[in-house]
Amino acid sequence: MSLSINAAPPKEIFWDDLIPEGHEQISNQDAASHDGDDKNWVQPDLDAPVVKALDGKNVSLPGFVVPLEGNSEVITEFLLVPYFGACIHVPPPPPNQIVHVKIKNGVPIDSLYDAITVTGTIKVESHKSELAQTGYTMKAVGVAPFEL
């Protein structure tokens, strides 16, 4: 067994890096309403373009967790979103602003209110759940508290 000590560190990316240059992104973060009107909960821009050059890259990306799978101790599958409450308290952002994350053996998440940084291999592929459609998936290898 060999251990590579020369592996490149993950590239730190942010949410704007998931939007192709020149694309005018629709943001629905400020338009969220809790008035019960179903049209306010429709995910916008389902055809939002993605950055294909990110496919297969080792990256780290900060965000907030929307749990999908796990138990009372660990989360094994979640949506990573750019702001707190997306997909739960407000409508989901466009698919290119959501990453479907799976992490082998799971990870404890102490508080959904706190931002985290996820590290792993990002793929340009869609995932659809009852909460939202994503433009990216990630096979995570690490999760850490977000630090400025």
Side-chain angles (χ1 to χ4, degrees), residues 8-43:
K11 179 182 179 181
E12 185 179 37
I13 63 171
F14 295 95
W15 292 97
D16 286 346
D17 296 319
L18 302 180
I19 302 169
E21 194 173 317
H23 175 70
E24 189 167 329
Q25 186 72 27
I26 295 171
S27 174
N28 64 337
Q29 182 178 1
D30 296 331
S33 170
H34 294 88
D35 68 2
D37 188 339
D38 286 345
K39 72 179 181 186
N40 291 329
W41 289 92
V42 175
Q43 186 178 17

mmCIF file of all heavy atoms in Angstrom, residues 8-43:
data_model
loop_
_atom_site.group_PDB
_atom_site.id
_atom_site.type_symbol
_atom_site.label_atom_id
_atom_site.label_comp_id
_atom_site.label_asym_id
_atom_site.label_seq_id
_atom_site.Cartn_x
_atom_site.Cartn_y
_atom_site.Cartn_z
ATOM 1 N N ALA A 8 -2.340 17.045 -3.964
ATOM 2 C CA ALA A 8 -2.609 18.482 -3.946
ATOM 3 C C ALA A 8 -3.705 18.783 -2.936
ATOM 4 O O ALA A 8 -4.658 18.013 -2.793
ATOM 5 C CB ALA A 8 -3.024 18.933 -5.332
ATOM 6 N N PRO A 9 -3.581 19.886 -2.238
ATOM 7 C CA PRO A 9 -4.651 20.260 -1.315
ATOM 8 C C PRO A 9 -5.906 20.613 -2.107
ATOM 9 O O PRO A 9 -5.820 20.993 -3.283
ATOM 10 C CB PRO A 9 -4.090 21.482 -0.587
ATOM 11 C CG PRO A 9 -3.043 22.021 -1.480
ATOM 12 C CD PRO A 9 -2.503 20.851 -2.263
ATOM 13 N N PRO A 10 -7.070 20.494 -1.484
ATOM 14 C CA PRO A 10 -8.301 20.818 -2.218
ATOM 15 C C PRO A 10 -8.330 22.296 -2.606
ATOM 16 O O PRO A 10 -7.809 23.139 -1.881
ATOM 17 C CB PRO A 10 -9.408 20.485 -1.223
ATOM 18 C CG PRO A 10 -8.757 20.506 0.117
ATOM 19 C CD PRO A 10 -7.326 20.124 -0.103
ATOM 20 N N LYS A 11 -8.939 22.560 -3.737
ATOM 21 C CA LYS A 11 -9.112 23.946 -4.182
ATOM 22 C C LYS A 11 -10.289 24.538 -3.415
ATOM 23 O O LYS A 11 -11.381 23.964 -3.414
ATOM 24 C CB LYS A 11 -9.379 23.996 -5.683
ATOM 25 C CG LYS A 11 -9.583 25.398 -6.203
ATOM 26 C CD LYS A 11 -9.882 25.406 -7.685
ATOM 27 C CE LYS A 11 -10.108 26.847 -8.144
ATOM 28 N NZ LYS A 11 -10.420 26.916 -9.551
ATOM 29 N N GLU A 12 -10.058 25.664 -2.781
ATOM 30 C CA GLU A 12 -11.134 26.337 -2.048
ATOM 31 C C GLU A 12 -12.019 27.072 -3.057
ATOM 32 O O GLU A 12 -11.531 27.924 -3.807
ATOM 33 C CB GLU A 12 -10.537 27.319 -1.054
ATOM 34 C CG GLU A 12 -11.557 27.974 -0.169
ATOM 35 C CD GLU A 12 -10.906 28.928 0.835
ATOM 36 O OE1 GLU A 12 -9.925 29.609 0.481
ATOM 37 O OE2 GLU A 12 -11.387 28.969 1.963
ATOM 38 N N ILE A 13 -13.289 26.721 -3.089
ATOM 39 C CA ILE A 13 -14.224 27.390 -3.992
ATOM 40 C C ILE A 13 -15.382 27.969 -3.172
ATOM 41 O O ILE A 13 -15.582 27.593 -2.017
ATOM 42 C CB ILE A 13 -14.764 26.457 -5.100
ATOM 43 C CG1 ILE A 13 -15.571 25.300 -4.512
ATOM 44 C CG2 ILE A 13 -13.634 25.955 -5.989
ATOM 45 C CD1 ILE A 13 -16.304 24.464 -5.558
ATOM 46 N N PHE A 14 -16.097 28.884 -3.811
ATOM 47 C CA PHE A 14 -17.260 29.499 -3.186
ATOM 48 C C PHE A 14 -18.429 29.401 -4.156
ATOM 49 O O PHE A 14 -18.265 28.976 -5.298
ATOM 50 C CB PHE A 14 -16.946 30.951 -2.792
ATOM 51 C CG PHE A 14 -15.888 31.027 -1.736
ATOM 52 C CD1 PHE A 14 -14.556 31.206 -2.094
ATOM 53 C CD2 PHE A 14 -16.195 30.860 -0.396
ATOM 54 C CE1 PHE A 14 -13.569 31.229 -1.130
ATOM 55 C CE2 PHE A 14 -15.199 30.876 0.577
ATOM 56 C CZ PHE A 14 -13.885 31.061 0.204
ATOM 57 N N TRP A 15 -19.599 29.799 -3.714
ATOM 58 C CA TRP A 15 -20.818 29.572 -4.489
ATOM 59 C C TRP A 15 -20.789 30.243 -5.848
ATOM 60 O O TRP A 15 -21.329 29.710 -6.816
ATOM 61 C CB TRP A 15 -22.041 29.968 -3.656
ATOM 62 C CG TRP A 15 -22.182 29.009 -2.503
ATOM 63 C CD1 TRP A 15 -21.740 29.181 -1.225
ATOM 64 C CD2 TRP A 15 -22.706 27.685 -2.560
ATOM 65 N NE1 TRP A 15 -21.974 28.043 -0.490
ATOM 66 C CE2 TRP A 15 -22.575 27.113 -1.275
ATOM 67 C CE3 TRP A 15 -23.294 26.927 -3.571
ATOM 68 C CZ2 TRP A 15 -23.009 25.825 -0.982
ATOM 69 C CZ3 TRP A 15 -23.727 25.641 -3.271
ATOM 70 C CH2 TRP A 15 -23.575 25.105 -1.997
ATOM 71 N N ASP A 16 -20.172 31.397 -5.960
ATOM 72 C CA ASP A 16 -20.084 32.062 -7.269
ATOM 73 C C ASP A 16 -19.274 31.233 -8.265
ATOM 74 O O ASP A 16 -19.468 31.344 -9.470
ATOM 75 C CB ASP A 16 -19.451 33.450 -7.136
ATOM 76 C CG ASP A 16 -20.412 34.456 -6.505
ATOM 77 O OD1 ASP A 16 -21.625 34.160 -6.410
ATOM 78 O OD2 ASP A 16 -19.943 35.541 -6.108
ATOM 79 N N ASP A 17 -18.362 30.406 -7.756
ATOM 80 C CA ASP A 17 -17.552 29.562 -8.638
ATOM 81 C C ASP A 17 -18.384 28.464 -9.301
ATOM 82 O O ASP A 17 -17.919 27.821 -10.245
ATOM 83 C CB ASP A 17 -16.404 28.923 -7.854
ATOM 84 C CG ASP A 17 -15.429 29.954 -7.325
ATOM 85 O OD1 ASP A 17 -15.108 30.908 -8.068
ATOM 86 O OD2 ASP A 17 -14.992 29.819 -6.169
ATOM 87 N N LEU A 18 -19.585 28.212 -8.804
ATOM 88 C CA LEU A 18 -20.460 27.177 -9.375
ATOM 89 C C LEU A 18 -21.352 27.731 -10.483
ATOM 90 O O LEU A 18 -22.127 26.983 -11.094
ATOM 91 C CB LEU A 18 -21.328 26.547 -8.278
ATOM 92 C CG LEU A 18 -20.570 25.904 -7.102
ATOM 93 C CD1 LEU A 18 -21.560 25.314 -6.103
ATOM 94 C CD2 LEU A 18 -19.610 24.837 -7.590
ATOM 95 N N ILE A 19 -21.242 29.033 -10.736
ATOM 96 C CA ILE A 19 -22.032 29.690 -11.783
ATOM 97 C C ILE A 19 -21.101 30.017 -12.944
ATOM 98 O O ILE A 19 -20.070 30.661 -12.743
ATOM 99 C CB ILE A 19 -22.660 30.995 -11.243
ATOM 100 C CG1 ILE A 19 -23.531 30.710 -10.028
ATOM 101 C CG2 ILE A 19 -23.450 31.705 -12.350
ATOM 102 C CD1 ILE A 19 -23.985 31.961 -9.279
ATOM 103 N N PRO A 20 -21.443 29.577 -14.164
ATOM 104 C CA PRO A 20 -20.573 29.887 -15.302
ATOM 105 C C PRO A 20 -20.422 31.397 -15.501
ATOM 106 O O PRO A 20 -21.379 32.153 -15.293
ATOM 107 C CB PRO A 20 -21.306 29.258 -16.496
ATOM 108 C CG PRO A 20 -22.205 28.237 -15.915
ATOM 109 C CD PRO A 20 -22.590 28.762 -14.556
ATOM 110 N N GLU A 21 -19.226 31.786 -15.887
ATOM 111 C CA GLU A 21 -18.957 33.190 -16.141
ATOM 112 C C GLU A 21 -19.904 33.708 -17.217
ATOM 113 O O GLU A 21 -20.119 33.055 -18.239
ATOM 114 C CB GLU A 21 -17.500 33.344 -16.596
ATOM 115 C CG GLU A 21 -17.007 34.760 -16.563
ATOM 116 C CD GLU A 21 -15.513 34.832 -16.845
ATOM 117 O OE1 GLU A 21 -14.754 34.009 -16.303
ATOM 118 O OE2 GLU A 21 -15.134 35.709 -17.626
ATOM 119 N N GLY A 22 -20.483 34.855 -16.978
ATOM 120 C CA GLY A 22 -21.381 35.468 -17.947
ATOM 121 C C GLY A 22 -22.845 35.107 -17.759
ATOM 122 O O GLY A 22 -23.719 35.725 -18.362
ATOM 123 N N HIS A 23 -23.132 34.093 -16.940
ATOM 124 C CA HIS A 23 -24.517 33.702 -16.694
ATOM 125 C C HIS A 23 -25.125 34.624 -15.641
ATOM 126 O O HIS A 23 -24.530 34.822 -14.578
ATOM 127 C CB HIS A 23 -24.614 32.258 -16.223
ATOM 128 C CG HIS A 23 -26.017 31.850 -15.844
ATOM 129 N ND1 HIS A 23 -27.015 31.691 -16.768
ATOM 130 C CD2 HIS A 23 -26.575 31.607 -14.633
ATOM 131 C CE1 HIS A 23 -28.135 31.351 -16.150
ATOM 132 N NE2 HIS A 23 -27.890 31.294 -14.848
ATOM 133 N N GLU A 24 -26.276 35.191 -15.936
ATOM 134 C CA GLU A 24 -26.956 36.037 -14.963
ATOM 135 C C GLU A 24 -27.809 35.147 -14.067
ATOM 136 O O GLU A 24 -28.836 34.614 -14.506
ATOM 137 C CB GLU A 24 -27.818 37.083 -15.657
ATOM 138 C CG GLU A 24 -28.346 38.110 -14.677
ATOM 139 C CD GLU A 24 -28.939 39.317 -15.377
ATOM 140 O OE1 GLU A 24 -28.464 39.662 -16.476
ATOM 141 O OE2 GLU A 24 -29.879 39.884 -14.823
ATOM 142 N N GLN A 25 -27.366 34.971 -12.844
ATOM 143 C CA GLN A 25 -28.002 34.055 -11.909
ATOM 144 C C GLN A 25 -29.269 34.637 -11.311
ATOM 145 O O GLN A 25 -29.288 35.789 -10.903
ATOM 146 C CB GLN A 25 -27.018 33.707 -10.777
ATOM 147 C CG GLN A 25 -27.499 32.659 -9.821
ATOM 148 C CD GLN A 25 -27.511 31.261 -10.429
ATOM 149 O OE1 GLN A 25 -26.750 30.970 -11.337
ATOM 150 N NE2 GLN A 25 -28.378 30.417 -9.946
ATOM 151 N N ILE A 26 -30.305 33.835 -11.232
ATOM 152 C CA ILE A 26 -31.536 34.221 -10.553
ATOM 153 C C ILE A 26 -31.369 33.890 -9.075
ATOM 154 O O ILE A 26 -30.991 32.787 -8.716
ATOM 155 C CB ILE A 26 -32.738 33.431 -11.109
ATOM 156 C CG1 ILE A 26 -32.976 33.783 -12.560
ATOM 157 C CG2 ILE A 26 -33.980 33.692 -10.267
ATOM 158 C CD1 ILE A 26 -34.012 32.880 -13.231
ATOM 159 N N SER A 27 -31.615 34.866 -8.236
ATOM 160 C CA SER A 27 -31.565 34.622 -6.791
ATOM 161 C C SER A 27 -32.964 34.756 -6.225
ATOM 162 O O SER A 27 -33.644 35.740 -6.459
ATOM 163 C CB SER A 27 -30.640 35.624 -6.093
ATOM 164 O OG SER A 27 -30.738 35.442 -4.689
ATOM 165 N N ASN A 28 -33.368 33.775 -5.478
ATOM 166 C CA ASN A 28 -34.685 33.839 -4.856
ATOM 167 C C ASN A 28 -34.577 33.940 -3.346
ATOM 168 O O ASN A 28 -35.574 33.851 -2.647
ATOM 169 C CB ASN A 28 -35.532 32.637 -5.260
ATOM 170 C CG ASN A 28 -34.937 31.334 -4.764
ATOM 171 O OD1 ASN A 28 -33.743 31.243 -4.509
ATOM 172 N ND2 ASN A 28 -35.771 30.326 -4.631
ATOM 173 N N GLN A 29 -33.383 34.140 -2.847
ATOM 174 C CA GLN A 29 -33.186 34.197 -1.403
ATOM 175 C C GLN A 29 -34.005 35.319 -0.766
ATOM 176 O O GLN A 29 -34.613 35.124 0.268
ATOM 177 C CB GLN A 29 -31.715 34.383 -1.077
ATOM 178 C CG GLN A 29 -31.451 34.403 0.420
ATOM 179 C CD GLN A 29 -29.982 34.544 0.744
ATOM 180 O OE1 GLN A 29 -29.152 34.650 -0.155
ATOM 181 N NE2 GLN A 29 -29.662 34.542 2.005
ATOM 182 N N ASP A 30 -34.032 36.488 -1.389
ATOM 183 C CA ASP A 30 -34.761 37.614 -0.815
ATOM 184 C C ASP A 30 -36.251 37.559 -1.115
ATOM 185 O O ASP A 30 -37.033 38.247 -0.479
ATOM 186 C CB ASP A 30 -34.194 38.931 -1.340
ATOM 187 C CG ASP A 30 -32.754 39.128 -0.905
ATOM 188 O OD1 ASP A 30 -32.388 38.602 0.165
ATOM 189 O OD2 ASP A 30 -32.007 39.788 -1.644
ATOM 190 N N ALA A 31 -36.653 36.763 -2.088
ATOM 191 C CA ALA A 31 -38.057 36.714 -2.485
ATOM 192 C C ALA A 31 -38.869 35.701 -1.691
ATOM 193 O O ALA A 31 -40.066 35.566 -1.890
ATOM 194 C CB ALA A 31 -38.159 36.383 -3.966
ATOM 195 N N ALA A 32 -38.219 35.000 -0.796
ATOM 196 C CA ALA A 32 -38.922 33.966 -0.042
ATOM 197 C C ALA A 32 -40.058 34.563 0.774
ATOM 198 O O ALA A 32 -39.937 35.599 1.394
ATOM 199 C CB ALA A 32 -37.951 33.254 0.893
ATOM 200 N N SER A 33 -41.158 33.887 0.727
ATOM 201 C CA SER A 33 -42.322 34.340 1.474
ATOM 202 C C SER A 33 -42.911 33.143 2.197
ATOM 203 O O SER A 33 -42.870 32.021 1.726
ATOM 204 C CB SER A 33 -43.347 34.927 0.505
ATOM 205 O OG SER A 33 -44.557 35.163 1.176
ATOM 206 N N HIS A 34 -43.454 33.399 3.333
ATOM 207 C CA HIS A 34 -44.078 32.335 4.100
ATOM 208 C C HIS A 34 -45.585 32.475 4.089
ATOM 209 O O HIS A 34 -46.255 32.076 5.022
ATOM 210 C CB HIS A 34 -43.555 32.351 5.538
ATOM 211 C CG HIS A 34 -42.106 32.018 5.625
ATOM 212 N ND1 HIS A 34 -41.120 32.967 5.514
ATOM 213 C CD2 HIS A 34 -41.469 30.844 5.777
ATOM 214 C CE1 HIS A 34 -39.951 32.394 5.622
ATOM 215 N NE2 HIS A 34 -40.119 31.102 5.776
ATOM 216 N N ASP A 35 -46.138 33.052 3.018
ATOM 217 C CA ASP A 35 -47.577 33.305 2.997
ATOM 218 C C ASP A 35 -48.383 32.077 2.587
ATOM 219 O O ASP A 35 -49.600 32.139 2.512
ATOM 220 C CB ASP A 35 -47.909 34.497 2.098
ATOM 221 C CG ASP A 35 -47.664 34.211 0.628
ATOM 222 O OD1 ASP A 35 -47.275 33.075 0.272
ATOM 223 O OD2 ASP A 35 -47.868 35.139 -0.176
ATOM 224 N N GLY A 36 -47.713 30.955 2.330
ATOM 225 C CA GLY A 36 -48.422 29.729 2.026
ATOM 226 C C GLY A 36 -48.780 29.554 0.565
ATOM 227 O O GLY A 36 -49.349 28.544 0.190
ATOM 228 N N ASP A 37 -48.467 30.514 -0.264
ATOM 229 C CA ASP A 37 -48.734 30.407 -1.690
ATOM 230 C C ASP A 37 -47.737 29.418 -2.303
ATOM 231 O O ASP A 37 -46.525 29.605 -2.205
ATOM 232 C CB ASP A 37 -48.596 31.785 -2.336
ATOM 233 C CG ASP A 37 -49.054 31.791 -3.776
ATOM 234 O OD1 ASP A 37 -49.105 30.701 -4.396
ATOM 235 O OD2 ASP A 37 -49.363 32.877 -4.281
ATOM 236 N N ASP A 38 -48.238 28.355 -2.935
ATOM 237 C CA ASP A 38 -47.365 27.311 -3.482
ATOM 238 C C ASP A 38 -46.368 27.829 -4.496
ATOM 239 O O ASP A 38 -45.277 27.281 -4.631
ATOM 240 C CB ASP A 38 -48.201 26.206 -4.124
ATOM 241 C CG ASP A 38 -48.880 25.340 -3.083
ATOM 242 O OD1 ASP A 38 -48.490 25.423 -1.904
ATOM 243 O OD2 ASP A 38 -49.811 24.604 -3.456
ATOM 244 N N LYS A 39 -46.685 28.878 -5.227
ATOM 245 C CA LYS A 39 -45.748 29.368 -6.249
ATOM 246 C C LYS A 39 -44.470 29.912 -5.614
ATOM 247 O O LYS A 39 -43.440 29.983 -6.259
ATOM 248 C CB LYS A 39 -46.403 30.417 -7.141
ATOM 249 C CG LYS A 39 -46.634 31.753 -6.477
ATOM 250 C CD LYS A 39 -47.270 32.719 -7.437
ATOM 251 C CE LYS A 39 -47.463 34.057 -6.715
ATOM 252 N NZ LYS A 39 -48.187 35.002 -7.499
ATOM 253 N N ASN A 40 -44.528 30.284 -4.338
ATOM 254 C CA ASN A 40 -43.339 30.773 -3.651
ATOM 255 C C ASN A 40 -42.366 29.650 -3.316
ATOM 256 O O ASN A 40 -41.242 29.898 -2.919
ATOM 257 C CB ASN A 40 -43.725 31.523 -2.378
ATOM 258 C CG ASN A 40 -44.407 32.832 -2.670
ATOM 259 O OD1 ASN A 40 -44.123 33.462 -3.681
ATOM 260 N ND2 ASN A 40 -45.324 33.220 -1.813
ATOM 261 N N TRP A 41 -42.799 28.396 -3.445
ATOM 262 C CA TRP A 41 -41.934 27.276 -3.096
ATOM 263 C C TRP A 41 -41.402 26.534 -4.306
ATOM 264 O O TRP A 41 -40.834 25.469 -4.193
ATOM 265 C CB TRP A 41 -42.688 26.311 -2.184
ATOM 266 C CG TRP A 41 -42.854 26.940 -0.841
ATOM 267 C CD1 TRP A 41 -43.901 27.680 -0.399
ATOM 268 C CD2 TRP A 41 -41.892 26.954 0.204
ATOM 269 N NE1 TRP A 41 -43.665 28.146 0.862
ATOM 270 C CE2 TRP A 41 -42.437 27.702 1.265
ATOM 271 C CE3 TRP A 41 -40.623 26.396 0.349
ATOM 272 C CZ2 TRP A 41 -41.752 27.911 2.452
ATOM 273 C CZ3 TRP A 41 -39.955 26.609 1.543
ATOM 274 C CH2 TRP A 41 -40.522 27.348 2.573
ATOM 275 N N VAL A 42 -41.589 27.094 -5.486
ATOM 276 C CA VAL A 42 -41.109 26.471 -6.708
ATOM 277 C C VAL A 42 -39.629 26.804 -6.887
ATOM 278 O O VAL A 42 -39.225 27.965 -6.806
ATOM 279 C CB VAL A 42 -41.922 26.962 -7.928
ATOM 280 C CG1 VAL A 42 -41.340 26.403 -9.208
ATOM 281 C CG2 VAL A 42 -43.382 26.569 -7.763
ATOM 282 N N GLN A 43 -38.813 25.781 -7.131
ATOM 283 C CA GLN A 43 -37.391 25.996 -7.359
ATOM 284 C C GLN A 43 -37.198 26.703 -8.697
ATOM 285 O O GLN A 43 -37.666 26.223 -9.727
ATOM 286 C CB GLN A 43 -36.645 24.661 -7.352
ATOM 287 C CG GLN A 43 -35.141 24.824 -7.445
ATOM 288 C CD GLN A 43 -34.414 23.493 -7.376
ATOM 289 O OE1 GLN A 43 -34.992 22.429 -7.557
ATOM 290 N NE2 GLN A 43 -33.131 23.553 -7.094
#
